[in-house]
Amino acid sequence: MCLAVPAKVIAIRDNLGTVELSGVHREVSLMLLPETVVGDYVLVHAGFAMQIVDEKEAEETNALLREMNGEGRTVL
Amino acid sequence: MENERITLAHGAGGKLSQELIEQVILPAFGNPLLNELHDGATVNMGGRVAFTTDSYVVKPLFFAGGNIGKLAVCGTVNDLAMTGAVPRYLSMGLILEEGFPFAELRQIVHTMKLAADEAGVYIVTGDTKVVGKGAADGIFINTAGIGDVIPGTHISPKRVEAGMDVILSGYIGDHAATIMAGRHGLELPASIQSDCAPLAGLTQAMLRAAPGIAVLRDPTRGGIAATLNEIAEQSHTGILLDEESIPVHPEVRGVCDILGFDPLYLANEGKLLAFTAPQDTAAVLAAMHAHRYGQDACVIGRVTAEARGQVGLQTSIGGIRVVDMPLGNLVPRIC
Amino acid sequence: MDKKEERALAQRIVAEIVRLMADRAQPVRFMEVCGTHTVSIFRAGLRQILPESVELVSGPGCPVCVTPDDYMDKAIAYAKREDCIIATFGDMLKVPGTSSSLGEAQAEGADIRIVYSPLDSLKIAVENPDKKVVFLAVGFETTAPTAAAAVLAAQAQGLENFYVLSAHKLVSPALRMLLADPQVRVDGFILPGHVSVVTGTDVFAFLPREFHMPGVVTGFEPLQILRSIYRLARQVAEDKPRIENEYGSVVRREGNPAARSVLDRVYETVDACWRGIGRIPASGLQVKQAYRRFDIEAVLPLELPAQEKKTACRCGEVLRGIINPRECPLFGKACVPTHAVGPCMVSVEGVCAAWYKYGGGRFIYGK
């Protein structure tokens, strides 16, 4: 359920944003994420920005590696 | 005439039908065979003749990189080319909806002429019918074509054997992604458009490099997934693909990510798959790289003796998944 | 990270999972409750690289699959009305109702439009002022706010011909119901990443607290799913169940409060029927009184005869992870994606469809 993709917000007009993903542009509603500003990466689902993406991916992988090496837990 | 529209009278065989032919069809395609305006064309052919037909009902009629007319010529030319033939002559059947704008018809016919010229084929016979409003969707086109089979070639899935290489001529999914993006409010950069192109020149170059090519196929509807499944089934062999070697433009991947599609299932209109014996692969690739429609050609997998009738895909994390036949139409999914 | 590193890391994580689960008497069963996870797991070939000691089972995570027959019957009945246009996500087209599907209604001339966003159906309403445009509002907590937002947008635009037919479902009540079912055996949950984007992680706190059940919220990349399986394995090995978040890039503890407030303005919880599972208390959403004029069922009530469809379809057990699709007598025979009997075979995300399409279970290419 719930296909969603991260995309970069490149323009905002009222509560509509234009997002870009790999060169593809689409208009998305910012009604559910009013705090969005241009430049944010947002998670897009069904034409709506749902959340601001915080680049934690690399961090999460590194945390896991450290844990597998016996260090303490660092990701929530 | 530019604001004019097609009426039922244009298909009634009288004066208006004649005008349509004289003002739109002949100026575009005029050639000695067509100009005869006989009930049919008579042509000289060499030895074995390849013969095919296809009908075109695409929506929208015009899209980035082409229109229904270009598809109608390239599709039939490519079907002939994939049999190992040099395409020669096409027929064209137009089914027009009452009210269809003349300007659009001219544009479509003009594009068909350009595509036919590029492919080196002549449109030598045709037919035009007009149906009432609502009985067709603007315009439907049928083309049939014949070509000379290149002597010494023998294209057949039955010749596919374990150990052969699977060659893909370039980036997949551009055509379907262009169409689907238009339907669902996605904007693509100008660099991504339908790949619609006549491939006869490419196949001839490939067959000159290696007349023994076992199979040539253009992966249109259903994408490379459908075509490879058909070949696996017909040849009773397995096909194992390497996910990372399959060229997909990032923008096409983007459209897929957003709408929930898999690029393997997206239609192409200017790509081909070839099955070659390993000793021929380098020569075929070299011939392809020298051609404008084969510059990005690469090996995407190989034929296996295991998993007969199936297509597998080596995934990026080291698993293998089955790539099966597509089912029906692509619709965007949210869930 | 390039593909080679990714593969190497995947192998390392798997090795750790093998080590953690080495001395288990029987395989641990981890359940994913998100159809997108189901599909990702198959697409990446994850089952094949996992040890026999870990079994992945699919739960009721596909909103299309859990949508009951009578909802589809209503949708089809509206679709067949001359004055209605149905706007729907593509997934719903082939879902069987009692005796037909939307796809069949479309073939008979019903006006059914596929949309990518609920907002696209507002455009259809604007372009067709003399028709009632009914958006089929299905989906879990991720999708429900988008439908609610569409209702608010329709109100703001003064649109008078836009409606929803709601069958939204909530994930956590379904998990609670599963855990209360003695037939269901699960040792940990791979929790839905995009649902959690809206709900936050606290809604799952009852799992360890009340059921001593591990849970890890995760994303949809193969590596993310593998990481979550590793974390579940570790929780099981240490016998310290808790809720962990492996998708911190978009999942916050508090979720998305703005989305939830939009949801709460338009919808209220209600008992809901899940296909194959039955009634689950407070597991669905209905349009609140204040927005009833957007609820097609309130505006244009239908009198549909109660119908019952009897088949040998075992979707209910499949959806609860009690049996795998191959154990259903119809799977791959009477029930295939082109002629689906049960909804699990229809949706791309459906468990049966995924098993059918990707060869099922521990399918090994060539065997």
Side-chain angles (χ1 to χ4, degrees):
Chain A
M1 171 54 192
C2 314
L3 212 60
V5 289
K8 187 178 184 176
V9 179
I10 54 172
I12 293 179
R13 195 173 46 101
D14 302 325
N15 64 358
L16 282 180
T18 304
V19 296
E20 194 243 300
L21 165 69
S22 314
V24 184
H25 292 191
R26 199 192 197 273
E27 203 171 73
V28 299
S29 168
L30 305 178
M31 270 178 84
L32 303 178
L33 199 65
E35 65 267 38
T36 310
V37 295
V38 171
D40 281 345
Y41 280 84
V42 295
L43 189 73
V44 175
H45 171 68
F48 286 81
M50 301 300 295
Q51 189 56 278
I52 292 167
V53 180
D54 173 2
E55 272 319 312
K56 275 194 175 170
E57 209 37 57
E59 228 177 275
E60 283 164 0
T61 296
N62 289 337
L64 182 97
L65 282 172
R66 281 196 300 274
E67 280 173 62
M68 292 195 319
N69 290 334
E71 290 177 35
R73 177 106 169 91
T74 48
V75 173
L76 165 77
Chain B
M1 187 154 183
E2 278 322 298
N3 290 324
E4 281 182 39
R5 290 174 180 273
I6 295 289
T7 64
L8 286 172
H10 284 108
K15 187 150 174 43
L16 281 176
S17 298
Q18 204 180 346
E19 268 182 35
L20 176 66
I21 290 165
E22 282 171 3
Q23 295 179 15
V24 180
I25 308 295
L26 288 182
F29 302 124
N31 59 62
L33 287 165
L34 179 65
N35 294 351
E36 295 275 323
L37 293 181
H38 206 290
D39 284 353
T42 55
V43 298
N44 291 318
M45 300 295 285
R48 279 168 71 214
V49 172
F51 180 28
T52 187
T53 184
D54 209 341
S55 301
Y56 299 83
V57 294
V58 69
K59 195 177 178 179
L61 298 174
F62 295 85
F63 44 83
N67 61 41
I68 187 170
K70 187 174 183 185
L71 280 180
V73 171
C74 295
T76 293
V77 162
N78 292 348
D79 284 350
L80 290 172
M82 298 309 140
T83 66
V86 179
R88 297 288 186 205
Y89 304 107
L90 301 191
S91 71
M92 172 187 76
L94 298 178
I95 296 174
L96 299 165
E97 185 186 7
E98 182 186 13
F100 191 70
F102 256 92
E104 291 189 13
L105 178 60
R106 278 177 194 281
Q107 202 181 334
I108 288 167
V109 164
H110 176 67
T111 317
M112 291 181 82
K113 164 67 175 163
L114 294 181
D117 283 353
E118 187 188 346
V121 295
Y122 295 100
I123 292 169
V124 295
T125 186
D127 174 54
T128 306
K129 292 283 187 303
V130 180
V131 295
K133 192 94 191 148
D137 201 352
I139 178 171
F140 297 152
I141 304 178
N142 171 276
T143 51
I146 53 176
D148 288 309
V149 177
I150 300 170
T153 64
H154 182 40
I155 307 288
S156 165
K158 295 201 171 62
R159 293 184 49 233
V160 170
E161 289 168 14
M164 282 188 166
D165 286 318
V166 181
I167 296 175
L168 172 65
S169 67
Y171 285 81
I172 58 167
D174 293 5
H175 176 76
T178 304
I179 302 269
M180 297 311 282
R183 282 187 199 159
H184 296 287
L186 305 178
E187 280 171 45
L188 288 169
S191 59
I192 300 297
Q193 43 175 272
S194 168
D195 58 350
C196 182
L199 298 176
L202 178 62
T203 54
Q204 286 161 55
M206 291 166 70
L207 287 165
R208 270 195 300 275
I213 292 173
V215 165
L216 290 167
R217 286 288 299 276
D218 56 337
T220 54
R221 270 180 310 181
I224 67 170
T227 303
L228 291 172
N229 267 287
E230 283 168 21
I231 296 171
E233 199 169 299
Q234 290 162 0
S235 64
H236 303 289
T237 59
I239 297 173
L240 186 57
L241 305 174
D242 175 19
E243 186 168 38
E244 285 155 52
S245 66
I246 301 172
V248 184
H249 284 121
E251 294 85 351
V252 171
R253 212 173 271 292
V255 169
C256 287
D257 287 347
I258 294 170
L259 298 178
F261 297 151
D262 182 337
L264 301 180
Y265 293 86
L266 295 186
N268 310 277
E269 293 294 344
K271 294 296 171 325
L272 64 80
L273 288 159
F275 284 63
T276 58
Q279 65 271 21
D280 287 341
T281 301
V284 172
L285 279 176
M288 295 177 82
H289 291 156
H291 194 278
R292 65 182 288 208
Y293 297 129
Q295 284 167 9
D296 302 306
C298 58
V299 173
I300 60 164
R302 62 188 164 76
V303 179
T304 65
E306 305 87 58
R308 290 178 187 276
Q310 284 184 322
V311 181
L313 181 86
Q314 191 98 46
T315 67
S316 58
I317 61 156
I320 295 178
R321 73 169 155 104
V322 174
V323 176
D324 75 344
M325 266 313 232
L327 302 156
N329 289 332
L330 280 182
V331 285
R333 63 189 177 93
I334 208 72
C335 325
Chain C
M1 186 162 39
D2 69 19
K3 296 288 177 189
K4 218 177 218 165
E5 287 171 335
E6 208 170 284
R7 199 173 291 198
L9 183 55
Q11 281 164 358
R12 225 185 123 194
I13 299 172
V14 169
E16 282 296 306
I17 295 170
V18 169
R19 191 181 61 77
L20 284 168
M21 296 290 97
D23 51 359
R24 312 274 314 169
Q26 52 175 333
V28 285
R29 285 163 65 91
F30 297 142
M31 178 181 272
E32 87 272 356
V33 282
C34 168
T36 310
H37 278 148
T38 308
V39 172
S40 295
I41 287 167
F42 275 108
R43 280 186 53 117
L46 264 183
R47 275 187 171 78
Q48 294 157 51
I49 64 169
L50 283 173
E52 300 275 344
S53 55
V54 176
E55 212 177 295
L56 295 182
V57 289
S58 306
C62 161
V64 168
C65 303
V66 299
T67 302
D69 279 352
D70 70 327
Y71 177 87
M72 294 316 302
D73 290 344
K74 283 182 213 162
I76 292 161
Y78 287 119
K80 286 185 170 169
R81 290 179 59 110
E82 287 284 321
D83 59 346
C84 289
I85 296 175
I86 298 289
T88 177
F89 298 136
D91 315 51
M92 302 296 285
L93 218 47
K94 288 194 287 176
V95 181
T98 313
S99 57
S100 166
S101 70
L102 283 171
E104 286 165 32
Q106 190 175 35
E108 288 164 21
D111 194 345
I112 296 169
R113 318 274 181 99
I114 306 293
V115 293
Y116 161 69
S117 166
L119 290 180
D120 296 341
S121 38
L122 263 55
K123 284 180 204 146
I124 298 171
V126 171
E127 288 160 11
N128 297 277
D130 52 338
K131 296 280 174 97
K132 293 183 170 63
V133 174
V134 182
F135 174 68
L136 302 188
V138 296
F140 293 135
E141 289 94 327
T142 327
T143 315
T146 69
V151 168
L152 295 182
Q155 185 186 42
Q157 289 177 31
L159 263 182
E160 288 182 359
N161 62 331
F162 170 78
Y163 306 90
V164 295
L165 178 61
S166 176
H168 290 300
K169 300 272 190 288
L170 304 174
V171 170
S172 60
L175 297 187
R176 191 178 276 282
M177 197 277 326
L178 279 177
L179 290 172
D181 184 338
Q183 281 181 283
V184 176
R185 193 172 76 71
V186 180
D187 299 300
F189 282 106
I190 298 169
L191 294 168
H194 291 149
V195 162
S196 306
V197 163
V198 172
T199 62
T201 51
D202 284 351
V203 292
F204 299 116
F206 74 94
L207 290 173
R209 201 174 53 222
E210 295 175 38
F211 295 95
H212 201 68
M213 181 59 61
V216 178
V217 174
T218 194
F220 301 88
E221 293 300 323
L223 263 189
Q224 291 176 319
I225 298 173
L226 258 187
R227 281 199 316 239
S228 72
I229 294 168
Y230 162 77
R231 293 206 180 283
L232 285 172
R234 214 182 43 175
Q235 289 193 33
V236 168
E238 292 170 356
D239 194 28
K240 279 189 193 150
R242 57 191 179 276
I243 299 302
E244 293 184 81
N245 180 5
E246 261 295 329
Y247 201 23
S249 54
V250 286
V251 174
R252 324 265 193 262
R253 192 172 169 185
E254 70 282 8
N256 177 342
R260 281 205 311 279
S261 105
V262 166
L263 184 68
D264 291 342
R265 272 175 70 187
V266 176
Y267 286 115
E268 60 197 359
T269 54
V270 63
D271 294 353
C273 224
W274 294 52
R275 188 192 291 248
I277 295 178
R279 201 167 196 78
I280 304 180
S283 69
L285 295 172
Q286 70 177 6
V287 179
K288 278 184 175 170
Q289 195 61 45
Y291 293 91
R292 276 293 155 88
R293 74 176 174 92
F294 296 98
D295 182 350
I296 191 71
E297 288 188 271
V299 174
L300 209 63
L302 290 173
E303 292 283 336
L304 286 185
Q307 299 184 66
E308 204 159 326
K309 186 169 67 175
K310 288 247 184 296
T311 74
C313 170
R314 295 179 72 183
C315 264
E317 290 155 281
V318 170
L319 286 170
R320 286 175 290 165
I322 295 169
I323 62 166
N324 78 42
R326 283 217 174 124
E327 295 172 68
C328 174
L330 304 184
F331 179 80
K333 300 182 184 90
C335 184
V336 292
T338 39
H339 298 94
V341 176
C344 303
M345 189 57 98
V346 173
S347 167
V348 192
E349 287 197 348
V351 188
C352 296
W355 274 66
Y356 188 87
K357 179 170 166 63
Y358 297 119
R362 280 176 195 278
F363 177 85
I364 310 282
Y365 176 78
K367 294 194 180 155

